[in-house]
Amino acid sequence: MPMLLDWQRHWLARRASPGALRDYLQQPLVAARTDYRAVDYVAVDLETTGLDSRRDLILSVGYVTLRGMSIDLSTARHRVVRIDRSIPESSAIIHQITDDQTARGSELSAVLSEFLAELAGKVLIAHHASIEQRFLSTACRQLWNCGLPLRIVDTQALALRTFERRQIPFKVSDLRLHSLGHRYNLPRYAAHNALSDALAAAELFLAQAAHRADGRGLRLAEFLC
Amino acid sequence: MDIELIEIQEFLTRHPPFDQLPAATLNRLPKQLTIRYFRRGLPFPPTDIDSPQLYILRKGAIELRNAQNELIGKLAEGDLYEQLCRHAVAEESGSTAEDTLVYMLSCTDLAQLCRDHSAFASYFEQSPSHRLRQALDVMVAAPASNIGLMTVPVRAMIQRVPITTTPNLSIRKAAQIMSEHRVSSLLIMDGEQLVGMVTDRDLRSRCIAVGLPTEQPVSEIMTRTLHTVDMDTLGFQALITMTRLNVHHLPVLDGERVAGLLSSTDLTRFQSANSVYLVGDIHRASSVATLAQISSKIEELQVHLISSGATANAIGQAVSAITDALTLRLLELGEQTLGAPPVPYAWLVGGSQARREQSSHSDQDNALLLADHVQPEDDVYFAALAKFVNDGLNVCGFVHCPGEVMASNSKWRQPLRVWHKYFMHWIMRPEPLALMLSSVFFDLRSLYDPANLYAGLQEKLLEQARSNQLFLAYLTANALKTRPPLGFFRNIVLIQGGDHDHTFDIKHRGTVPIIDLARVSALAASIPETNTLERLKAAADCGALSRDGAANLCDALEFIGTLRMRHQAQQLRTGQKADNFVSPDALSPLERGHLKEAFVLIHAMQEALGQRYQAGKFG
């Protein structure tokens, strides 16, 4: 299956329009048998106008890179995307991005180009990753006529597996990023923006991996979706 | 532009020394950090990191041990571990006591920050004791003007050189001098010697009212027995003296020399809390019920003082002064009811009252010292007097001592010769009971002692204690039993479960160890003082303690004591009963950091004293 994914990447690389996505696709995906400690990761979070990737828009992207199981804050980025419609009030309340800010934002293609350049050759970390995956893939298709093959670590899926494996009873709210952070003695971020959530997901992954691996080397495959 | 790391920046801003950096530098700083996560029980610092780093603890806890595997420190949220930036190899080994998240800054970046910002750099050059002193300065930096009396010595209140004259000047001339200088009192000097004072009131009542010719010398109407105060007396204490004596002027001495005259108007310029006048009310009170009513304001006074920035020592002095006044008034009322005492006696106070470190909810420790010629039948009188005072204090909120160390207990109501025997026994044969009582009876002060009975006893006991190494060793070993909760934060040395879950006892584990150290040092050097700060200063003066060590303990006591008072003020404000159980969460990260440094200092002094008096042999 992972082999298949890399073959798909190869195939897409020939099909994609020139640009950031094609450059991304030139880099092989990380092999799933690699020791997870030797892998580079990019933790990402998107703020969007809603949950439907076909109709809703990406408002902002926050991400930060992990190398050698350290979060490198010099790579932390927060980019607001310029969109041409006003933000529904309901979502503005959550992520607190205003129309004014999006008017000052960058083009989605520029934001994603920068992001893909950072992501190339790395594994993506997100909490409840299907949203990030769908929105990123849809955007790539619109911009460069081609989907986005990814290696993904979903911190929420990891948490769910842990609960189930240890037969710990849990509520849905226990799977939230902040509840899990508390469980692992992580700092609580009051602000709710794409970068602080990406950072929280990165820290959560450090904690989950430390607890799971307990000092041993594990294959990346253990953490992939 | 990436303001989104603002929470990391804010975290840094809250913790020294990052609070010393300019905003622009702080903006950029988060981007220079990396983040790591360690499970509990792992070695620290980690060995798999290529270049040396400064570690900033974001969450979790780390224990540090020396080569002998003794716990020497604990790091909690906001603490720094900079050892690897000082030496290539860590001197201590540590381990994570909890799951821990750290921020790391490379030593290269740290060195650059230190080069660019001297205030930031000085943090890494300072010793913990220096940092503690600064923290204390900040905590009591700006006492509000309405507590000026609490903290300002008389020295700063006297306005000008006193107006003086000689005893043989005529009353009329003296009055002219007073008019000329617009003063209401005149000091009478015989050469350099202060011999008396004349006030407006004396002119009125001793001259005009009785028709004394104004050609008479002023010495005819002057007051000869003068109460004086020292330059360093706090305004508050001077006020108490004035109220007690019902006078409005006090000559101020600088050693033997007359330095000035303090009038009650000088004091009112330093407008004080109304409750400070409690003492005046106490002296006018004619019943226990009135005293109890007055005492109900002590809590209020304590809250007021702490919110105005007073230190623990200032508050201890104030509350003890009030208890002293209450006790004296109760003795007067008792004597009024029971008649004059059959033989002279001394009322001794012990414990926190003796040390002048009381707070509003202290219990009472006292004893009666009777002249040796007391007869068995006289005990009826003294038992009644003791009961009257003990019960009176109890009604006033200074509850009966749980250990029954009170004058109403016949064991502690004895003639001088028995007290001699008691002390010699305690010193020669130190046993657990004596050590337990040491905090009461080796901190003894005679509050009311017209026949000066106590002085001889005290002199003897100080002389004996000093020369008895065994006693000092036992006393030290006893003092070392209470250690500061060095790892007090979180689930390590906090009280677990019960009514005081997740707290530590700031009195028992914080101030008591210092009080105990001061007592040992005082007894080892025959220092008669009872107040802990005074003991420590005297111990430094005579070399019983190092100057730095004593100064550090003074600062630590004031810092911890003031935190304790704040904790209690907070409880009293919200209608709770004041206690000593402080949750570390209620302290700011800064206070927590300084508190820990204070604990480290106490611990170091305990070790030093333990060595010196060979406590290890008797522990």
Side-chain angles (χ1 to χ4, degrees):
Chain A
M1 170 67 176
M3 283 267 278
L4 208 63
L5 192 64
D6 205 44
W7 175 82
Q8 183 199 16
R9 172 194 64 81
H10 240 312
W11 185 74
L12 289 173
R14 277 179 283 146
R15 237 188 54 170
S17 308
L21 180 61
R22 189 194 274 183
D23 297 341
Y24 170 85
L25 292 168
Q26 304 292 345
Q27 289 265 355
L29 293 174
V30 182
R33 63 176 179 282
T34 320
D35 187 324
Y36 81 96
R37 294 172 296 187
V39 175
D40 293 351
Y41 306 82
V42 176
V44 66
D45 184 64
L46 304 181
E47 301 292 348
T48 59
T49 56
L51 293 178
D52 185 343
S53 64
R54 285 164 305 178
R55 287 212 318 269
D56 291 313
L57 300 175
I58 298 175
L59 285 171
S60 65
V61 184
Y63 54 96
V64 63
T65 297
L66 295 81
R67 291 192 187 83
M69 296 312 279
S70 302
I71 301 168
D72 180 356
L73 287 181
S74 69
T75 63
R77 296 286 181 275
H78 184 259
R79 296 288 183 254
V80 176
V81 178
R82 178 151 66 215
I83 58 169
D84 52 6
R85 61 167 117 139
S86 65
I87 300 167
E89 201 184 332
S90 57
S91 69
I93 289 168
I94 297 172
H95 42 63
Q96 293 174 354
I97 295 176
T98 60
D99 289 343
D100 281 353
Q101 284 173 299
T102 64
R104 284 197 306 271
S106 314
E107 290 297 333
L108 180 64
S109 61
V111 172
L112 284 192
S113 296
E114 190 190 17
F115 171 64
L116 289 176
E118 183 67 26
L119 183 63
K122 303 190 179 81
V123 173
L124 182 133
I125 296 172
H127 197 71
H128 195 69
S130 62
I131 304 237
E132 275 69 23
Q133 185 181 21
R134 279 207 312 274
F135 271 90
L136 289 171
S137 215
T138 305
C140 284
R141 236 176 244 117
Q142 284 164 358
L143 290 167
W144 295 294
N145 301 315
C146 179
L148 180 67
L150 290 166
R151 286 262 191 265
I152 298 174
V153 170
D154 184 343
T155 47
Q156 188 175 61
L158 287 180
L160 183 63
R161 270 190 241 168
T162 307
F163 283 137
E164 285 176 345
R165 191 185 304 119
R166 303 212 185 132
Q167 298 183 320
I168 302 170
F170 64 95
K171 301 189 294 288
V172 175
S173 63
D174 294 336
L175 291 174
R176 289 207 190 112
L177 190 52
H178 295 291
S179 320
L180 289 165
H182 183 70
R183 201 172 269 270
Y184 286 103
N185 203 21
L186 294 171
R188 185 182 167 79
Y189 296 104
H192 188 74
N193 65 55
L195 180 56
S196 70
D197 280 358
L199 185 57
E203 290 177 352
L204 178 57
F205 176 62
L206 288 184
Q208 288 174 322
H211 279 258
R212 179 79 209 284
D214 205 12
R216 295 165 298 157
L218 286 178
R219 294 185 320 139
L220 174 63
E222 299 273 341
F223 299 102
L224 292 177
C225 285
Chain B
M1 62 187 213
D2 274 306
I3 55 146
E4 284 71 20
L5 291 172
I6 190 126
E7 289 191 70
I8 294 180
Q9 185 192 325
E10 280 171 358
F11 172 81
L12 294 172
T13 314
R14 284 202 305 274
H15 293 90
F18 299 103
D19 53 350
Q20 300 293 327
L21 292 172
T25 310
L26 270 170
N27 270 332
R28 289 191 302 271
L29 191 55
K31 289 235 146 188
Q32 296 177 270
L33 303 177
T34 51
I35 305 178
R36 290 275 310 242
Y37 182 90
F38 305 110
R39 287 199 63 180
R40 66 179 290 172
L42 291 181
F44 180 90
T47 49
D48 63 339
I49 296 190
D50 306 334
S51 58
Q53 304 279 334
L54 167 75
Y55 292 86
I56 307 158
L57 209 68
R58 178 63 176 89
K59 284 281 280 181
I62 290 168
E63 295 182 342
L64 298 173
R65 290 171 188 279
N66 63 13
Q68 288 76 46
N69 204 34
E70 291 164 341
L71 189 63
I72 51 165
K74 300 206 179 194
L75 306 181
E77 189 172 313
D79 284 342
L80 305 187
Y81 181 80
E82 76 256 24
Q83 285 305 320
L84 294 179
C85 295
R86 293 183 191 276
H87 319 284
V89 185
E91 288 166 350
E92 323 95 333
S93 60
S95 62
T96 47
E98 291 176 18
D99 289 344
T100 296
L101 191 83
V102 296
Y103 296 151
M104 307 189 305
L105 179 71
S106 77
C107 294
T108 327
D109 287 347
L110 176 65
Q112 185 62 48
L113 283 176
C114 286
R115 273 194 295 279
D116 294 347
H117 307 285
S118 58
F120 175 81
S122 66
Y123 174 90
F124 297 97
E125 290 149 13
Q126 281 173 11
S127 64
S129 58
H130 190 119
R131 292 203 289 263
L132 181 64
R133 208 155 303 163
Q134 278 187 335
L136 189 60
D137 289 346
V138 170
M139 187 149 71
V140 296
S145 60
N146 60 346
I147 62 134
L149 279 184
M150 292 307 308
T151 48
V152 178
V154 164
R155 179 189 299 279
M157 295 180 179
I158 45 177
Q159 301 245 30
R160 51 180 175 180
V161 285
I163 310 302
T164 63
T165 188
T166 51
N168 44 20
L169 195 77
S170 72
I171 296 173
R172 184 202 298 270
K173 283 267 171 60
Q176 281 168 0
I177 293 176
M178 289 167 73
S179 305
E180 198 180 311
H181 289 93
R182 296 164 179 271
V183 293
S184 56
S185 63
L186 195 58
L187 291 181
I188 316 297
M189 306 285 289
D190 189 1
E192 287 291 288
Q193 186 74 33
L194 175 70
V195 292
M197 180 168 66
V198 169
T199 66
D200 281 349
R201 194 161 61 171
D202 297 330
L203 292 173
R204 193 173 64 231
S205 57
R206 292 180 189 165
C207 175
I208 302 167
V210 299
L212 192 72
T214 54
E215 286 71 35
Q216 290 287 316
V218 72
S219 58
E220 288 296 309
I221 62 163
M222 71 183 185
T223 305
R224 289 168 189 273
T225 44
L226 288 182
H227 285 269
T228 59
V229 287
D230 189 74
M231 289 280 266
D232 293 319
T233 310
L234 294 179
F236 174 69
Q237 289 163 316
L239 176 68
I240 289 171
T241 310
M242 281 190 190
T243 327
R244 261 180 64 187
L245 303 172
N246 194 23
V247 299
H248 296 280
H249 301 87
L250 285 173
V252 180
L253 298 185
D254 185 6
E256 297 289 301
R257 196 179 60 83
V258 175
L261 187 70
L262 184 73
S263 72
S264 53
T265 36
D266 291 331
L267 291 175
T268 43
R269 281 191 308 113
F270 283 77
Q271 182 53 51
S272 132
N274 285 336
S275 27
V276 166
Y277 293 101
L278 282 183
V279 173
D281 297 341
I282 289 171
H283 287 288
R284 284 188 291 274
S286 55
S287 72
V288 176
T290 316
L291 288 176
Q293 203 184 356
I294 296 167
S295 309
S296 65
K297 294 183 193 144
I298 299 175
E299 278 192 359
E300 198 183 307
L301 168 71
Q302 191 175 327
V303 171
H304 174 78
L305 289 174
I306 196 71
S307 60
S308 316
T311 64
N313 183 51
I315 294 167
Q317 297 275 2
V319 176
S320 305
I322 291 168
T323 322
D324 283 1
L326 278 173
T327 313
L328 287 169
R329 187 62 190 147
L330 283 167
L331 284 167
E332 283 169 13
L333 291 176
E335 287 194 20
Q336 275 173 24
T337 319
L338 300 165
V343 298
Y345 70 94
W347 184 269
L348 306 180
V349 295
S352 58
Q353 188 183 356
R355 293 192 305 271
R356 297 192 184 86
E357 291 162 10
Q358 269 191 311
S359 63
S360 63
H361 71 300
S362 296
D363 51 16
Q364 50 169 307
D365 297 305
N366 44 57
L368 262 178
L369 170 60
L370 309 172
D372 270 336
H373 60 278
V374 65
Q375 299 302 309
E377 60 270 23
D378 295 338
D379 194 54
V380 181
Y381 176 90
F382 288 112
L385 181 68
K387 187 167 169 6
F388 180 78
V389 177
N390 288 161
D391 290 351
L393 285 172
N394 190 51
V395 172
C396 290
F398 297 91
V399 296
H400 285 141
C401 168
E404 291 280 306
V405 183
M406 292 183 295
S408 56
N409 179 347
S410 61
K411 189 167 184 197
W412 311 126
R413 188 175 66 242
Q414 295 290 341
L416 186 54
R417 58 175 187 280
V418 177
W419 279 106
H420 266 290
K421 226 167 61 191
Y422 281 171
F423 273 103
M424 292 318 117
H425 185 86
W426 290 330
I427 292 169
M428 298 303 177
R429 276 186 290 278
E431 56 185 36
L433 177 70
L435 295 171
M436 213 181 69
L437 293 173
S438 67
S439 68
V440 179
F441 288 121
F442 288 97
D443 299 347
L444 213 54
R445 178 160 65 88
S446 61
L447 176 62
Y448 178 74
D449 189 6
N452 207 12
L453 297 171
Y454 178 61
L457 176 63
Q458 188 188 27
E459 199 177 314
K460 193 81 189 291
L461 87 87
L462 284 175
E463 187 188 303
Q464 286 293 328
R466 175 203 197 116
S467 53
N468 195 312
Q469 291 306 312
L470 191 68
F471 170 71
L472 290 175
Y474 271 110
L475 197 69
T476 310
N478 197 51
L480 299 193
K481 276 185 190 152
T482 320
R483 295 286 187 157
L486 245 186
F488 72 88
F489 51 89
R490 306 253 253 270
N491 54 356
I492 305 171
V493 198
L494 291 180
I495 297 166
Q496 297 289 320
D499 291 344
H500 307 300
D501 190 27
H502 197 72
T503 62
F504 64 100
D505 184 336
I506 195 167
K507 178 186 175 190
H508 194 234
R509 308 292 298 274
T511 52
V512 166
I514 304 176
I515 293 168
D516 287 349
L517 287 177
R519 181 181 308 109
V520 171
S521 306
L523 291 173
S526 295
I527 293 166
E529 272 81 8
T530 49
N531 177 266
T532 302
L533 292 182
E534 287 168 17
R535 278 177 163 174
L536 291 171
K537 280 172 194 140
D541 287 341
C542 69
L545 282 176
S546 71
R547 230 165 240 290
D548 281 353
N552 285 344
L553 284 179
C554 286
D555 290 341
L557 180 68
E558 280 287 67
F559 185 79
I560 299 172
T562 307
L563 280 184
R564 171 174 171 241
M565 289 295 173
R566 280 193 185 176
H567 163 75
Q568 299 191 339
Q570 181 60 34
Q571 289 180 315
L572 295 173
R573 261 196 293 265
T574 53
Q576 302 170 56
K577 216 169 133 48
D579 65 24
N580 295 307
F581 298 99
V582 176
S583 163
D585 301 337
L587 305 174
S588 74
L590 255 167
E591 289 168 339
R592 244 180 351 241
H594 293 310
L595 188 58
K596 195 146 38 111
E597 288 182 343
F599 287 153
V600 171
L601 292 172
I602 299 169
H603 190 88
M605 287 306 285
Q606 285 186 322
E607 292 299 302
L609 239 68
Q611 297 271 320
R612 185 158 183 179
Y613 300 114
Q614 310 220 320
K617 291 182 185 167
F618 309 97

